Amino acid sequence: MIRRMYRVMAVLVVLAAGSCPALAADPTPQAAPASVIHRTILNRIDVPGSSYEVVYVLVEIDADSIVPRHTHPGSVMGYLLEGDYTVLINGQPPRNLRTGEVFEVPPGVVHEEHTGTRPAKILAVFTVERGKPLSSPAP
């Protein structure tokens, strides 16, 4: 149950293309507490000729929440489907996104996320080395 609640972070294209493959559980522990962030793996696709995969994730973050500082081992692109959402990437000003806007987090860059009075729903697309966790806590 806890593992199921610890799924999320990744974004784009799948929902826009209208495909929503069968949902699968993500066995990887994530950075935020179960009461704040909910991740649903939508699809995993191997990158041919490499040790990488693209992981499509529906990320839902409770209203008035902070997802603590964390990193990803690969790049993440996100598309805000709905809600109030701010991403704080180290070295950049806070970015308050509106529905339909996109963001990118480079590999290994420390960042955190905040929601406002409305919960956020994000489509996240991770490009990561197979077998690595999608996210890890940062100091």
Side-chain angles (χ1 to χ4, degrees):
M1 175 95 179
I2 289 178
R3 286 182 183 169
R4 178 173 163 76
M5 290 189 275
Y6 272 74
R7 295 179 268 186
V8 171
M9 288 287 78
V11 192
L12 231 52
V13 189
V14 169
L15 291 178
S19 69
C20 232
L23 303 179
D26 179 7
T28 308
Q30 303 296 318
S35 62
V36 172
I37 190 166
H38 313 277
R39 296 175 175 95
T40 303
I41 301 293
L42 301 173
N43 200 7
R44 291 179 182 266
I45 301 169
D46 287 339
V47 175
S50 77
S51 61
Y52 287 84
E53 66 178 343
V54 176
V55 184
Y56 297 90
V57 182
L58 178 62
V59 179
E60 297 174 273
I61 306 171
D62 295 344
D64 299 313
S65 296
I66 296 175
V67 178
R69 292 165 47 89
H70 61 284
T71 63
H72 304 287
S75 65
V76 179
M77 292 181 7
Y79 177 86
L80 183 62
L81 296 165
E82 61 186 55
D84 298 328
Y85 178 76
T86 301
V87 61
L88 294 95
I89 299 172
N90 272 11
Q92 298 180 17
R95 210 155 150 229
N96 298 311
L97 281 87
R98 290 187 282 216
T99 300
E101 292 186 321
V102 297
F103 64 95
E104 180 181 355
V105 179
V109 174
V110 176
H111 62 288
E112 67 182 63
E113 300 155 71
H114 297 198
T115 57
T117 57
R118 297 182 307 146
K121 188 180 284 188
I122 301 159
L123 175 60
V125 179
F126 295 79
T127 303
V128 295
E129 199 169 340
R130 269 188 301 282
K132 293 223 174 167
L134 293 181
S135 68
S136 299

